[in-house]
Amino acid sequence: MEEKPGYCTLCRSRCGTINVVEADSLIAVRPDPSHPTGQAMCMKGKAAPELVHSPHRLMYPMRRTRPKTEADPGWVRISWDEALSETAARLSTIRRESGAEAVVFAVTTPSGTSLSDSIDWVERFVRVFGSPNICYATEICNWHKDVAHEFTFGCGMPVADYANADLILLWGHNPTNTWLAQSHAIGRGRAAGARLMVVDPRPTALATQAQSWLRVRPGTDAALALGLIRLLIEGDAFDLAFIRDWTNAPLLVRSDNGRLLRLRDVQPDAPADPWMVWNSHLGAAAPYDVARPAASQGGEHFALRGEYAVATIRCMPTRTDKVPNTSPTAASSGADLNGAAVKAAWEGGTNSGGSNVAQPGETSAHGSGSYSAFLRDPDGHDIEITVSQD
């Protein structure tokens, strides 16, 4: 019997493992605590020997010898060379006769299977072949997790640095059941003093342990997100210097047509036509060359709020253009609670303080111009977060 260190390939967590081998057979798999992700294993990883030695496991290429209309497909084993040559010949014929877009490549999920280590090569092959068509089998959580970062930042991003975080926000994420390596990292972060906020209608293990647990009604997450965004904006609880230096937030937007203000809008004969910002130190609009660092152009004085007159044009910074109305209100009384349970949960997550649990409340109908998230604060008051699109 031999013990070989490695890692589990059955999902993207890649948990470190000790693999017990006897007579060239994998007979057991257990966690490897010395591995960075080996503190725990799920049941799927522990069942790896059953998968490896299953009598139903497909080990070789097989060719169908009977029509698909027959009950018995007549599978016949062929060599890898035969399978690769035949597949390549058929793909080449289709591409030559009908174009690469005539082929759709079906790919299983890389998140929950051993395809995690090869998906990049599969996608590269599809791109080289020239087809724009990939049909994925994936989880409901996958697309926003993998694609939102690319759409927002231009590239994928690694997992959160839970171990060194001050606040950990889990939004519909249940790592104790789905990603044990990250659950362990969250535990390390909490042991180091991080506070935990969970947005989830379900009483997950981490939700019941969180300082702030927002049990949002399913389908109303967007309203809650906008409400939290409003609290961030109102309290300037974000990196103002980063916003000025690396985003379009300071750029002035014209109130008359919604377009960004440019220098030639106010000086038609100007030799260049850069974007315009409001410099609060100068008390006037100033050109902003976005190809140069904002700090070298007085970026610390770029206004992020307010309404200004540049010549005869009324305008405001991009950041304050049409900020959604996401005022939390009490569903029972209609009174403005100024954030109420949501604000209490947010302050409880970002500052030291006690626990806060907001429960699902009552439903309420609105017109097509608004929608709501429903919560209940610790005192039993119903909270409705209404988002107006007016």
Side-chain angles (χ1 to χ4, degrees):
M1 185 179 298
E2 185 179 2
E3 295 187 349
K4 297 183 178 182
Y7 66 93
C8 177
T9 65
L10 295 179
C11 84
R12 67 185 308 160
S13 183
R14 297 175 174 86
C15 298
T17 60
I18 297 294
N19 304 281
V20 183
V21 178
E22 183 176 15
D24 291 331
S25 295
L26 180 66
I27 62 173
V29 180
R30 67 174 188 267
D32 180 2
S34 67
H35 191 282
T37 62
Q39 287 71 29
M41 280 190 67
C42 71
M43 294 306 297
K44 182 166 68 173
K46 293 180 179 179
E50 299 178 40
L51 300 175
V52 171
H53 302 295
S54 170
H56 305 294
R57 181 184 176 190
L58 186 63
M59 301 287 290
Y60 311 99
M62 306 287 281
R63 178 191 289 123
R64 175 189 287 273
T65 60
R66 297 179 182 176
K68 292 184 178 181
T69 55
E70 294 192 18
D72 182 4
W75 294 116
V76 175
R77 177 178 167 179
I78 61 176
S79 70
W80 285 103
D81 286 342
E82 287 180 280
L84 291 172
S85 297
E86 186 172 322
T87 301
R90 291 188 178 184
L91 287 174
S92 297
T93 299
I94 294 173
R95 182 171 58 180
R96 183 177 62 256
E97 295 178 350
S98 305
E101 65 277 5
V103 177
V104 177
F105 293 86
V107 186
T108 190
T109 170
S111 297
T113 71
S114 55
L115 197 66
S116 295
D117 288 330
S118 55
I119 184 61
D120 292 336
W121 298 104
V122 172
E123 291 182 339
R124 181 174 294 186
F125 164 67
V126 174
R127 296 188 186 102
V128 170
F129 182 81
S131 174
N133 305 311
I134 304 181
C135 180
Y136 275 102
T138 189
E139 307 79 22
I140 194 171
C141 71
N142 185 62
W143 287 116
H144 68 270
K145 173 170 56 65
D146 289 352
V147 179
H149 287 150
E150 296 183 13
F151 286 169
T152 304
F153 303 107
C155 64
M157 296 184 68
V159 295
D161 187 8
Y162 295 119
N164 297 300
D166 295 321
L167 170 66
I168 298 171
L169 172 60
L170 302 179
W171 198 304
H173 184 32
N174 184 21
T176 52
N177 282 32
T178 62
W179 200 333
L180 291 180
Q182 293 308 303
S183 180
H184 177 76
I186 291 170
R188 289 173 54 198
R190 296 180 65 199
R195 295 182 63 80
L196 178 63
M197 177 186 291
V198 175
V199 179
D200 203 313
R202 305 164 301 165
T204 64
L206 288 175
T208 58
Q209 301 171 24
Q211 280 83 8
S212 298
W213 175 20
L214 298 179
R215 298 189 66 183
V216 65
R217 185 177 296 282
T220 61
D221 298 63
L224 177 59
L226 289 171
L228 293 175
I229 289 171
R230 178 173 177 175
L231 293 178
L232 283 170
I233 292 175
E234 288 179 343
D236 283 340
F238 53 90
D239 191 338
L240 291 170
F242 180 90
I243 294 296
R244 289 188 173 98
D245 290 347
W246 293 99
T247 77
N248 65 356
L251 301 184
L252 293 176
V253 178
R254 298 179 55 147
S255 298
D256 56 354
N257 60 17
R259 294 179 178 274
L260 293 172
L261 182 70
R262 308 197 72 148
L263 180 58
R264 287 176 182 164
D265 291 339
V266 293
Q267 297 180 22
D269 297 329
D273 196 24
W275 312 112
M276 301 293 287
V277 297
W278 186 265
N279 188 311
S280 57
H281 179 70
L282 300 176
Y288 175 28
D289 181 0
V290 295
R292 295 168 47 216
S296 66
Q297 304 174 70
E300 68 273 19
H301 301 298
F302 290 174
L304 297 175
R305 285 197 179 94
E307 187 173 1
Y308 308 97
V310 182
T312 60
I313 303 173
R314 304 293 298 181
C315 50
M316 63 178 64
T318 302
R319 181 190 150 204
T320 55
D321 184 37
K322 297 183 179 178
V323 174
N325 175 15
T326 53
S327 176
T329 61
S332 56
S333 65
D336 186 358
L337 298 181
N338 192 28
V342 178
K343 191 169 185 179
W346 181 254
E347 291 176 346
T350 55
N351 304 307
S352 59
S355 298
N356 181 289
V357 179
Q359 305 280 1
E362 301 298 325
T363 59
S364 178
H366 294 280
S368 59
S370 63
Y371 56 101
S372 300
F374 300 92
L375 305 167
R376 181 168 295 142
D377 70 18
D379 297 324
H381 299 119
D382 291 334
I383 307 301
E384 176 186 348
I385 305 172
T386 302
V387 179
S388 174
Q389 301 180 32
D390 297 334

